[in-house]
Amino acid sequence: MTGDEAVREGVRAGERAARRLAELGVCELEPGLNDAEFDRIEAEYGIEFAPDHRAFLAAGLPVDRAAPPGEGESRRNPWPDWRDGDPELIRERLGRPVEELLFSVEHGWWLPGGRWGARPADPAEAVAAARAALGSVPTLIPLYSHRYLAAGAAHGRPVLSVVGADVIHYGRDLAEWVEREFGDLDPEEGWPEPAAGARVPFWSDLAV
């Protein structure tokens, strides 16, 4: 498969997932992001949407259907508001997988298998060492709540559920994730294992 064919396959996959999301009626769908908006977002946040993720958001931008918050409450939208969202909030969500993992390191977690070497005894030194090691891992782009897709040109990678060091493959691709999150697939009925070539470096190694 050529590079162009792979991109077209990714686009079709993202469009299929978007159609299924619309059929399920679990959220509002605003007009999808256009090329200029994608260019702005990717430049502003230093990210690159995978072809399937980009096509998914181009087909329709999911927004929260929840009732407005009560007085003194803040609204927590599980869908990233790429068009009109607070840039600081979006940056916080982009950084959350690493920051939550560093929180786990501070409280005793360490990458098994010796790949980070011996854990420093001092928690602050352990966090600093882990932060340096995490500088080269793939960026995760928020999809919905604490579900993520890896940034980059590859499509068909699994959707990951990431909370600290707790990582789960929540769908082998976008379409399966939509069914598992909102459709007929039981989210507790066996976690999908992606094909070897579709695994996300580092993050997939943490998956249970």
Side-chain angles (χ1 to χ4, degrees), residues 18-177:
R19 284 196 299 271
R20 181 57 176 146
L21 185 70
E23 290 171 1
L24 290 166
V26 294
C27 64
E28 302 280 357
L29 287 171
E30 294 183 349
L33 298 174
N34 59 40
D35 288 344
E37 289 176 310
F38 278 114
D39 289 345
R40 174 188 63 79
I41 293 163
E42 291 182 331
E44 183 170 357
Y45 300 109
I47 59 176
E48 179 185 7
F49 290 100
D52 47 353
H53 197 176
R54 185 181 179 112
F56 179 77
L57 296 173
L61 185 66
V63 295
D64 189 19
R65 179 177 277 173
E71 185 176 354
E73 298 178 351
S74 61
R75 180 168 180 162
R76 296 184 62 83
N77 186 353
W79 299 100
D81 186 353
W82 294 109
R83 176 173 287 128
D84 298 314
D86 181 343
E88 289 306 310
L89 178 58
I90 291 176
R91 289 191 179 91
E92 187 273 330
R93 292 187 70 168
L94 283 164
R96 190 177 298 168
V98 166
E99 292 304 318
E100 288 187 347
L101 191 57
L102 291 174
F103 180 83
S104 297
V105 169
E106 184 179 6
H107 290 82
W109 183 84
W110 194 246
L111 185 67
R115 284 175 291 167
W116 284 354
R119 177 189 169 91
D122 180 79
E125 292 181 6
V127 169
R131 187 181 294 277
L134 291 168
S136 60
V137 306
T139 297
L140 299 182
I141 300 180
L143 175 63
Y144 171 85
S145 187
H146 53 273
R147 317 293 192 225
Y148 298 86
L149 274 172
H155 78 278
R157 286 180 168 177
V159 173
L160 299 174
S161 174
V162 182
V163 180
D166 183 7
V167 178
I168 296 171
H169 287 125
Y170 219 81
R172 278 177 285 252
D173 54 26
L174 264 172
E176 185 174 273
W177 167 73

